[in-house]
Amino acid sequence: MSKSRETAVYTHGHHESVLRSHTWRTAANSAAYLLDSLKPHMKILDIGCGPGTITADLAALVPDGHVTGVDHAPGILDRARATAAGRGLTNVDFAVADVHALEYPDDTFCVVHAHQVLQHVGDPVQALREMVRVTKPGGFIAARDGDYAAMTWYPASQGLDDWLDLYRRVARANGGEPDAGRRLKAWALRAGLTDITATSSTWTYATPEERAWWSGLWADRTLASAYAERATEGGHATAERLRAVSDAWREWGTQEDGWFSVLHGEILCRKAA
């Protein structure tokens, strides 16, 4: 039977407002649940590497090993290569890949990691099966995904309520599952994994600088990214509605008592030896 291939559309695209968020991500703030399991010699596959900031951190943590970063979008890989080169890393390489059908032999990697990937793919269970296949016996499969329905903020904002409703509808129309965080353990079980540690962690934006950054990138993303195009072209929102949502983000960002929390589900799974 042939393996399934990618069917979902990446909701965000790679507009500057998206990369502003992605390049902020580090192994410490986005993969802390995995780090204690890493050893200097490990060979790691980082799926959905984007601009490569987490990938580069992982490479620095396995100086005697190697990290391969892969992404479904070829255009972002030059940015990832530049990230690694700028840090002087020589134990990392990058390639185009589809997580549903990875072009690596069985039992290749010590760790297969995916951050904010499974929420965007057409078949997350098949993706996990592929992640398991290319992991060595006794190795680790690690995934972390946001859960949009569990995101929460203060003060209340009808505009942000509208944003959340709109984003979830657009993401699902694109073939993804925006509330992936709560489903990771269930998907792992369906993929045949049994040694699963399921945890959660958050990003929180509460200082004036954090609020300005988080609200600004979403205000811009709502108007100018691939997400905005898919919202209007798919009939989910008018340009006027997107403008109102963008304005609501900027208004929230000015609130002295503003607070926003992003919940993530996490799974760290051990492949049977």
Side-chain angles (χ1 to χ4, degrees):
M1 181 183 294
S2 63
K3 299 170 185 173
S4 63
R5 294 272 175 175
E6 177 60 81
T7 56
V9 175
Y10 180 48
T11 296
H12 298 288
H14 292 98
H15 183 263
E16 183 278 330
S17 60
V18 178
L19 293 180
R20 202 184 313 163
S21 171
H22 290 184
T23 55
W24 167 84
R25 298 174 183 175
T26 66
N29 68 28
S30 300
Y33 70 103
L34 167 64
L35 302 188
D36 286 346
S37 300
L38 300 184
K39 305 298 180 186
H41 68 276
M42 282 182 160
K43 185 175 183 180
I44 300 174
L45 179 64
D46 186 26
I47 294 172
C49 66
T53 52
I54 297 174
T55 318
D57 283 352
L58 294 175
L61 292 168
V62 292
D64 303 321
H66 189 88
V67 179
T68 297
V70 297
D71 203 281
H72 197 245
I76 197 61
L77 294 179
D78 285 343
R79 180 76 173 263
R81 292 185 182 101
T83 298
R87 294 179 55 176
L89 296 164
T90 59
N91 63 332
V92 60
D93 70 302
F94 296 93
V96 176
D98 175 359
V99 67
H100 296 91
L102 295 167
E103 296 181 359
Y104 296 101
D106 295 359
D107 307 337
T108 298
F109 299 95
C110 305
V111 177
V112 178
H113 167 261
H115 183 265
Q116 308 285 31
V117 172
L118 297 181
Q119 64 181 283
H120 296 296
V121 305
D123 188 344
V125 174
Q126 169 61 19
L128 280 164
R129 289 188 183 119
E130 276 293 273
M131 292 168 68
V132 174
R133 181 184 65 78
V134 301
T135 301
K136 294 179 179 181
F140 294 96
I141 300 93
R144 183 176 191 255
D145 266 277
D147 194 300
Y148 277 77
M151 294 184 189
T152 189
W153 57 85
Y154 185 88
S157 165
Q158 183 59 53
L160 293 194
D161 289 345
D162 290 344
W163 159 76
L164 182 57
D165 171 70
L166 175 62
Y167 179 83
R168 292 171 77 218
R169 287 192 288 109
V170 172
R172 288 194 170 119
N174 287 339
E177 175 45 71
D179 303 340
R182 69 188 66 188
R183 292 171 164 81
L184 292 180
K185 182 179 180 181
W187 289 341
L189 288 168
R190 288 170 57 192
L193 287 157
T194 56
D195 186 348
I196 305 167
T197 300
T199 55
S200 62
S201 61
T202 62
W203 292 333
T204 301
Y205 306 104
T207 68
E209 295 77 16
E210 290 165 347
R211 289 196 308 272
W213 180 79
W214 183 242
S215 64
L217 69 86
W218 269 108
D220 292 343
R221 193 181 299 191
T222 298
L223 295 179
S225 70
Y227 157 65
E229 296 172 9
R230 288 160 187 153
T232 53
E233 292 173 3
H236 304 287
T238 62
E240 290 76 16
R241 183 179 180 190
L242 291 181
R243 171 61 67 182
V245 169
S246 177
D247 290 346
W249 269 111
R250 295 200 184 279
E251 172 62 23
W252 173 84
T254 68
Q255 301 303 307
E256 183 179 2
D257 56 356
W259 177 91
F260 198 108
S261 182
V262 179
L263 177 72
H264 300 83
E266 302 158 344
I267 50 170
L268 183 62
C269 313
R270 198 79 181 257
K271 181 174 177 176

